Amino acid sequence: MAGSYPELEAFIGFYPTSDLTITQNFYGHILGLPLARDQGNCLIFQIAETSYVGFCHHDRPFHLHPGLILTLVTDDVDGVYQRLLDHEVQVEGVPKTDETYRIYHFFTRDPDGHRVEVQRFLDPL
């Protein structure tokens, strides 16, 4: 039926990592995301009530697609930016407004090189 959606309860996006310890430090300690589940070779962090991001250990080298961006949405873009600076995480410039997409944002990279964007929508969803 057009326009109907399945009764989904949550979303988890999974990404590869070469080191679960540094991943847990970055996402859990530095960004402050709660660890929702430790599955041994996969860690799942809670982003919002029903949104999660997971990282699974891979022994083999993996290649990141250059267009892949893990975006975290928050009203406190400047606070997250400062938290990253306080932990000496390199960022790709200061937070700024992008009028094309009507967002306020900045980019960084996690320890595995995944591009991470922190943003706030200027127009509510």
Side-chain angles (χ1 to χ4, degrees), residues 4-103:
S4 65
Y5 298 96
E7 298 277 334
L8 302 177
E9 297 177 9
F11 173 80
I12 305 173
F14 283 94
Y15 302 88
T17 181
S18 59
D19 187 323
L20 287 169
T21 301
I22 62 171
T23 296
Q24 185 165 13
N25 183 58
F26 183 79
Y27 287 95
H29 176 68
I30 295 174
L31 285 176
L33 299 179
L35 182 63
R37 189 154 300 170
D38 182 341
Q39 298 177 316
N41 68 338
C42 293
L43 299 174
I44 301 173
F45 297 93
Q46 187 169 14
I47 295 175
E49 186 175 343
T50 61
S51 298
Y52 304 85
V53 61
F55 296 91
C56 295
H57 181 262
H58 287 266
D59 289 325
R60 296 178 306 206
F62 54 86
H63 302 284
L64 302 176
H65 186 283
L68 180 74
I69 301 172
L70 193 157
T71 300
L72 304 173
V73 179
T74 180
D75 285 334
D76 191 16
V77 172
D78 293 325
V80 174
Y81 176 79
Q82 187 60 53
R83 183 179 181 115
L84 292 173
L85 291 181
D86 291 347
H87 285 85
E88 300 179 358
V89 174
Q90 289 187 326
V91 294
E92 299 175 15
V94 299
K96 62 184 177 187
T97 299
D98 183 321
E99 289 296 340
T100 301
Y101 296 106
R102 301 285 303 139
I103 59 174

